[in-house]
Amino acid sequence: MSSHGHSHDHGQSHDGEHGHSHGLVHASIKRSKAGLRAVSLSLFVLLITALAQVAIFVATSSVALLADLIHNFGDALTAVPLGAAFLLRSFKAEKRAGYFVVATIFISACVAAGESVNRLINPQHIDHLPALALAGIIGFAGNEIAARIRLRAGRNLNSPAMIADGNHARTDGFVSLAVVASAIVVALGLDVGDPIIGVTITVVILRITWQSFQTVRSDPGEGPDREATPAAGRSER
């Protein structure tokens, strides 16, 4: 009886702490696959969006568009550590990926700010305004699609890092609409409006940085209970 009890306790320990039972391993693998699928799909959408904007930027030289496409490329790169965290099935790596997302957003804000200030000092005429407006619309659509993919997966998987990335992408969609505004003000003869809008986008990106940091930091953390119940994301005790 003592031997049987010891065996039973040992099994419970492995189930709760290491996920060795068939049910828990299955849940972990399922969460990993769902996370990787969401990350990969949103990565594909953002890369296509950014590449389309690059083609238009070459023709327009808009700093507002440059700020937006730099940010979209940055968004695409955040999928790498986030995808690795889901592949490893590690909540600790997932949270670190969340902080990487925040750092990437901040760096993109710095680059956009530098280019905007440069254009304020050295103004440059912008052509192909209809194409510029189209680029903004493309950016909005691509980010909104990516946001929906990430937010749905983040909520289903209880992943603060992916939720932060999803909210980030959704706000970026509205930032892309600022590119449309840039095309409009330049069409009205206000060339200085383009770098000013670039600066405005930078401020918005910095705000997104802080909000994303708050979301990731609010992650309740990892632990055996959370590992055992990834979908619920909380202890059953």
Side-chain angles (χ1 to χ4, degrees), residues 53 57 71 75 156 192:
Q53 289 186 319
F57 169 73
H71 202 190
D75 287 350
N156 289 340
V192 71

Side-chain angles (χ1 to χ4, degrees), residues 39 43 70-85 91-109 150 160-162 164-165 168 205 208-210 212-217 219:
V39 168
L43 171 62
I70 286 174
H71 202 190
N72 285 333
F73 267 122
D75 287 350
L77 291 176
T78 61
V80 177
L82 196 55
F91 284 104
K92 182 176 292 186
E94 199 173 314
K95 186 165 185 175
R96 288 174 178 171
Y99 284 120
F100 178 83
V101 169
V102 174
T104 301
I105 302 171
F106 178 73
I107 292 172
S108 67
R150 291 176 177 180
M162 186 170 284
D165 218 14
H168 168 211
I205 295 174
I208 297 168
T209 303
W210 175 249
S212 300
F213 173 73
Q214 292 290 88
T215 299
V216 174
R217 191 177 67 170
D219 183 355

Side-chain angles (χ1 to χ4, degrees), residues 76-143:
L77 291 176
T78 61
V80 177
L82 196 55
F86 278 109
L87 184 63
L88 294 171
R89 302 199 293 274
S90 168
F91 284 104
K92 182 176 292 186
E94 199 173 314
K95 186 165 185 175
R96 288 174 178 171
Y99 284 120
F100 178 83
V101 169
V102 174
T104 301
I105 302 171
F106 178 73
I107 292 172
S108 67
C110 294
V111 173
E115 187 62 25
S116 297
V117 171
N118 178 58
R119 289 297 178 85
L120 281 171
I121 299 173
N122 305 296
Q124 185 173 339
H125 182 66
I126 299 174
D127 296 315
H128 309 290
L129 297 181
L132 178 60
L134 175 62
I137 294 173
I138 290 173
F140 171 75
N143 276 291

Side-chain angles (χ1 to χ4, degrees), residues 46-57 65 69 73 131 135 138-139:
L46 288 174
L47 281 176
I48 293 298
T49 299
L51 289 174
Q53 289 186 319
V54 165
I56 298 175
F57 169 73
L65 176 55
L69 70 87
F73 267 122
I138 290 173

Side-chain angles (χ1 to χ4, degrees), residues 14 17 31 57 63 76 86 98 117 119 142 144 148 150 168 175 177-178 194 197 199 209 233 235:
H14 277 279
E17 296 180 15
R31 184 180 191 278
F57 169 73
V63 68
F86 278 109
V117 171
R119 289 297 178 85
E144 179 60 22
R148 293 190 179 193
R150 291 176 177 180
H168 168 211
V175 171
L177 291 182
D194 180 59
I197 289 176
V199 172
T209 303
S235 172

